Amino acid sequence: MTKIDSITTRIIDLPTIRGHVLSMTTMVVQSIVLVQVRFSDGSTGLGEGTSIGGLSYGAESPESIKAAIDTYIAPLLEGCNADNINHVRTLIEKAVRGNPIARCAVEIALWDGLGKRLGVPVAALFGGTVHEAMDVAWTLASGNSDHDIAEAEDMLARRRHRQFKLKIGKRAVREDIAHVARICAAVGDRAMITVDVNQAWDLHDARWGLAGLQEIGVAMVEQPIDARMRDRLKALTDGYEIAVMADEALQGPVDALQLACNRGADAFAVKIAQSGGLKRGADVIAIAEAAGLGIYGGTMLEAGIGTAAALHLFSTVEKMRWGTELFGPLLFKDEILATPLRYADFQVHLPEGPGLGVALDEDKVAHFCRDRVKPVRLSVTNG
Ligand code: MUC
Ligand code: MG
């Protein structure tokens, strides 16, 4: 039996390539919690947990993710059978309410470790791949229409993205619609345009907003109103042709079932972190499939480890109606994987090899680590 020996965490602060302007915050750095699990046979597994903009997106922060793992999850798991992930997951779910990002970060490392020990990719542990690459959207969120248009042109020319998600909700609805209309007109039918409001609108704004967005040809709107307003999200889903996607409202299988049962959204932004891990993410996907809802491979703007984990799960899903947005590593100024994930021909490609198929560049990790020991500058004096 392979046992869990130890679990360690580090916070890595990665600067973004530009300000990422969302309705609730502007990100200039992404703080990533890296998890390393050591097993009794000498093998290791890597995991990652991120939120967005400190506590401005949701109830977990990088610091709370680290504290939940260090204080509650790591001591609970030491000595457990690492090969029985379902048992370990059940232990965590009993001991830790909420905190889905922390739970997911540890679970990723367990899948990575198991895959490596068995010599198979994580996707094989979920039944095997149906895609080796998937379409990947890019988020236009510089806060400036001209800059966003130039960025979209550049992405199209480099064949990196042909689906753009625009972050709106910070400005007045009328201004946001004008901004989106300019970008729609500029890219025409060369790309699909969606928007994400991150809960910023009230129902009145949302009615004007959805009417305006569908008129200018936007394909889908993500979480236009407060995540708790389920009945109102349903009213918008019923009232407009534009597809309505649940994101912040979808915190795992129970939410998925409720949204599916009353047809409260047309589509799900499935995030492994928000779902509480890959297994729960797979449960959310199964509910969406059974209910005939569109699936979108969502991101919490993870770097390479979390992005690879989501990629492994989504590669096993037959129909990703809305593609994916697994572009996280491209938003950061630097890469912390030894070999970056491959983005080419508008798609993100599944890495090869056992486990997640990725490894860390430890020098980069040390450089961006929040608690790094600053190098001691030794000065040589003569005499
Ligand atoms: C979100 O709300 O979906 C995903 C892409 C992006 O730019 O931000 C995230 C968060
Ligand atoms: Mg969203």
Side-chain angles (χ1 to χ4, degrees), residues 57 165 167 196 198 222-223 247-248 269 271 299 325:
Y57 173 90
K165 162 159 138 175
K167 287 286 189 181
D196 189 354
N198 285 112
E222 188 172 326
Q223 201 64 59
D247 177 8
E248 287 91 329
K271 295 181 174 176
T299 180
E325 58 175 10

Side-chain angles (χ1 to χ4, degrees), residues 246-261:
D247 177 8
E248 287 91 329
L250 184 59
Q251 305 278 333
V254 174
D255 287 336
L257 188 63
Q258 287 174 1
L259 284 161
C261 280

Side-chain angles (χ1 to χ4, degrees), residues 18 20-22 24 27 52 57 137-141 165 167 196-198 222-223 247-248 269 271 274 296 298-301 325 327-328 331:
R18 56 153 167 73
H20 201 54
V21 184
L22 319 181
M24 66 293 185
M27 296 171 70
I52 291 169
Y57 173 90
W138 175 252
T139 298
L140 298 173
K165 162 159 138 175
K167 287 286 189 181
D196 189 354
V197 191
N198 285 112
E222 188 172 326
Q223 201 64 59
D247 177 8
E248 287 91 329
K271 295 181 174 176
Q274 221 159 253
Y296 183 54
T299 180
M300 289 292 274
L301 300 177
E325 58 175 10
F327 67 85
L331 188 64

Side-chain angles (χ1 to χ4, degrees), residues 1 35 58:
M1 176 172 86
V35 178

